[in-house]
Amino acid sequence: MYNSEEVSLWNTYSYGDAPYWDARYIQEASIGSFDWYQRYPTLRPFVRKYIPSSSRILMVGSGNSVMSEDMVKDGYEDIMNVDISSVATNLMRRKYEHVPQLKYMQMDVRDMSFFPDESFDSIIDKGTLDSLMCGTDAPISSAQMLGEVSRLIKPGGIYMLITYGDPTVRMPHLSRPVYNWKIELYIIPRPGFQRPTGSTSSAKSCLEPVATTEVGLLPAGYVLEDPDSHFIYVCKKMDQNLQFNQCGIPIH
C-alpha cells in the first residue's frame, strides 16, 4: 500500500502523461515487476476462452507487468506490448530481448497510428483505461483510446478490459454504437478475498458471464459478494452490417 503523502504527490500529475509514469517506474525500480488488479493465473480461464494462442495480441499499458511473459509460457505466440513510459518500455525490451514472442514499443494509447487498421486479433487492457479515467481530460482521453482500440481490432476480434469500474461507469463508454461491440461481463473477487462462512457461491460461478440488463447494467438488487470486485468486459467486434444491444441480441 502507498501512504497518503505518496498518493497526494502522484495525484498532482496526469495519469495520461509520460513524465508521471517515467518518474514512477524510476522510483519503484527496486520493487521489480507489478501487475495491476489480477495476475495471469486468475485471468487465464477468460483469456483462454476468448483468445486463441495463435492470435496477434496487443497489450496496452503493459508497464512492467509479467502477464505477457506468463502468456508466452502458456503458449501464446505473438504479443505486442505498448506503454507511454519509455522507462518501462526500455526496461522490458532489455529483459525480454531473447524472447521473440514479446515485442515492446513506447506509445500513447490515444494515438496508435503507427499500426494500420485491423492489425490485431485481440487487445488486452488491465488498468489502462482506468488510468486515463483518473487523469485530466478523462472523457476525451478515454474516447480517443477506445476509438483506437476499435480501429485496431479485426472483425470478430476481442477487446478484453479488466477494470475496477462497474457497468454504471464503464458501459457508457464501451456501448457507443460506433464500436458495435457485443459485450459479455464477468465479475471476479480481488486477490486474497475470503468468502464468508456459509457463502453459497463458488469460484466456478466467477467463470460464468453475468446476466445484465438491456443496456448492459447489473440487475436491480444485484449484490457483489466482494464490494471491491474486479470486472472483466469481453468486447467482441461484430460485423458492421449487424447491430447488437448490450445483451448480444441483434437489433433489426
Side-chain angles (χ1 to χ4, degrees):
M1 294 293 292
Y2 303 110
N3 62 41
S4 58
E5 183 179 356
E6 288 173 318
V7 172
S8 177
L9 175 63
W10 289 342
N11 285 343
T12 64
Y13 294 87
S14 169
Y15 286 123
D17 287 347
Y20 166 82
W21 290 107
D22 285 342
R24 183 161 169 174
Y25 283 117
I26 291 171
Q27 180 182 1
E28 300 177 1
S30 61
I31 298 176
S33 63
F34 178 79
D35 270 273
W36 292 92
Y37 306 153
Q38 303 281 345
R39 300 291 296 269
Y40 180 62
T42 302
L43 299 174
R44 183 180 186 273
F46 308 100
V47 175
R48 276 291 179 184
K49 179 176 180 178
Y50 291 99
I51 304 177
S53 59
S54 59
S55 300
R56 188 175 189 222
I57 299 167
L58 177 65
M59 187 77 68
V60 292
S62 51
N64 59 3
S65 165
V66 297
M67 180 160 169
S68 294
E69 174 188 345
D70 290 342
M71 289 178 63
V72 167
K73 291 177 179 177
D74 197 28
Y76 284 87
E77 303 168 3
D78 186 357
I79 306 177
M80 171 61 74
N81 301 269
V82 300
D83 197 277
I84 198 171
S85 169
S86 60
V87 173
T89 301
N90 291 334
L91 172 70
M92 300 302 276
R93 187 183 292 132
R94 289 193 298 269
K95 181 178 180 179
Y96 296 113
E97 61 182 336
H98 300 301
V99 182
Q101 299 94 329
L102 295 177
K103 303 174 185 67
Y104 287 83
M105 293 187 66
Q106 189 275 331
M107 190 173 294
D108 188 330
V109 295
R110 292 167 294 190
D111 179 7
M112 296 187 281
S113 54
F114 176 86
F115 300 120
D117 294 358
E118 301 179 2
S119 290
F120 297 95
D121 300 296
S122 302
I123 297 179
I124 299 176
D125 171 5
K126 191 151 64 79
T128 301
L129 181 64
D130 289 357
S131 176
L132 292 179
M133 294 292 291
C134 291
T136 56
D137 299 321
I140 296 173
S141 291
S142 60
Q144 289 172 330
M145 174 187 164
L146 292 174
E148 284 290 80
V149 166
S150 178
R151 179 182 69 82
L152 291 178
I153 299 176
K154 298 176 182 178
I158 294 293
Y159 169 48
M160 183 175 290
L161 170 64
I162 299 98
T163 171
Y164 64 79
D166 68 42
T168 62
V169 294
R170 290 294 175 264
M171 285 304 295
H173 299 278
L174 298 175
S175 62
R176 292 181 61 194
V178 67
Y179 304 143
N180 201 26
W181 288 338
K182 178 183 177 183
I183 302 174
E184 288 190 293
L185 173 66
Y186 296 85
I187 302 176
I188 56 177
R190 67 189 186 278
F193 174 73
Q194 298 295 320
R195 287 181 171 80
T197 302
S199 171
T200 57
S201 67
S202 67
K204 183 178 179 181
S205 65
C206 297
L207 304 179
E208 300 169 355
V210 176
T212 57
T213 68
E214 188 173 343
V215 292
L217 302 181
L218 295 174
Y222 187 95
V223 177
L224 294 172
E225 185 178 40
D226 175 10
D228 297 317
S229 290
H230 294 140
F231 301 82
I232 302 175
Y233 298 86
V234 180
C235 310
K236 183 175 183 179
K237 185 176 182 178
M238 306 306 294
D239 187 320
Q240 288 299 316
N241 294 321
L242 293 175
Q243 295 290 324
F244 290 81
N245 66 20
Q246 297 314 309
C247 292
I249 300 173
I251 301 172
H252 300 289

